[in-house]
Every structure is written in structure tokens, then in C-alpha cells.
Amino acid sequence: MSARLAEDSSMTTTLLLAQACNNRWSNHRLLTACATLPAAALHAAQPAAFFGSLWALLAHLLDVDRFYLDALQDQPRAYRDEDWPDLATLTAAQAASDQRLIALCRTLDAEQLTQLITLPRATGPVREQRLRTLQHLFVHQLHHRGQAHALLLASGVAPPQLDEFFLTQDEPLRRAELQVLGIDEGALWGTTL
């Protein structure tokens, strides 16, 4: 492998790991804010809500994460909606899923990123590149977290900032949470902030 290709591969895996860590942090902030809502408000029908309510949207996010993670780890299975009993259970499952994504991104190499994986679909299995599937998963998460952000606001809860992860200037705003989550920015970026 050329030095340039190795450098590009290293940068790609670093960025994927950063996205996975950002996902963990964003979900932590979002679900912490959701925990301030009564269960009735989480489950309340909202006309602007994808899937009908904030609760259904949060469940969808987690269910899709788990579907793609299974496929990304070469254990494809059909998509299924889980019946999450309460926010505490969903939050714990989301944290486990987020940690699983971080662990996956920590171990990926250039060859694995170009490999094809199987995604079971209702019309039959399809093959997709692992890197493109990961990028799709990150966009899916961002897309629906943005909707959840708006639904929190509509429910009367100040939604958390979800864009304070990457810039050095925002480090003081995330420091305590990243410590709680076990995310070491120095190790992630290979630098000291």
C-alpha cells in the first residue's frame, strides 16, 4: 500500500470513528433531554412527527441502528421494530448500540471498508459497500435526530445543542459529558486540545 493510500485510509477510519463518537454523544444529549418529558408527552401524537410521536421516532432510530450494525458485522437479519417498554430500557439499548458502533469503527481497515455486506430487504438481499453503508447510517441518524430535536421543542423542552462535537472551540461545552461517556478526544484525534 502506498504511503498516500495508507494516510487516506487512516484519515477515513479516524473520521468514521469520530462520527461514531459524535453519534454516542449526540444520542446521550438527546435522550437526557427526552428524560425530562413525562411518558405521556413522549408518546403523544404529534402531527409533524415521523412515525407519529417522539417515542416512535426514538425507537425507529435505535431499531435501524441495530439493523445496520448487524449487517455491518456480517450478521444480517431482517429489520424489525422492537417494543421498547420504557425510556430507560431504550436509553440503555441505544448506549449499547452506540458503543457497538464505536467498537466497530475502531477496528475497521481499508480492506474491510471496501468489502460488500448483505442488507436483507423485503424484496430480497442487496449488497452494499461497508463504507457507504456506514455513511448512510450516520446520515440516517442525523436526519432523524434533527426531527427529534424539533419535536422536543414542540413538547416544551429546550432541545440540546447537537453541533458542539467537532470544533476545538466547543471543547469546554462537551468536556464533562465526554468524560462520562469515556470518549478521549486526545486519543481520537491524536492531538491534545
Side-chain angles (χ1 to χ4, degrees), residues 25-83:
W25 172 80
S26 294
N27 284 335
H28 170 76
R29 275 195 169 183
L30 181 64
L31 292 168
T32 297
C34 288
T36 66
L37 282 171
L42 271 174
H43 292 271
Q46 293 193 30
F50 274 59
F51 312 104
S53 69
L54 179 54
W55 175 257
L57 178 60
L58 295 172
H60 171 77
L61 259 169
L62 176 54
D63 293 340
V64 169
D65 283 1
R66 291 161 47 112
F67 167 79
Y68 281 113
L69 275 167
D70 285 347
L72 286 161
Q73 294 181 310
D74 298 317
Q75 300 170 347
R77 60 154 176 94
Y79 175 82
R80 64 180 171 266
D81 292 319
E82 296 290 336
D83 186 17

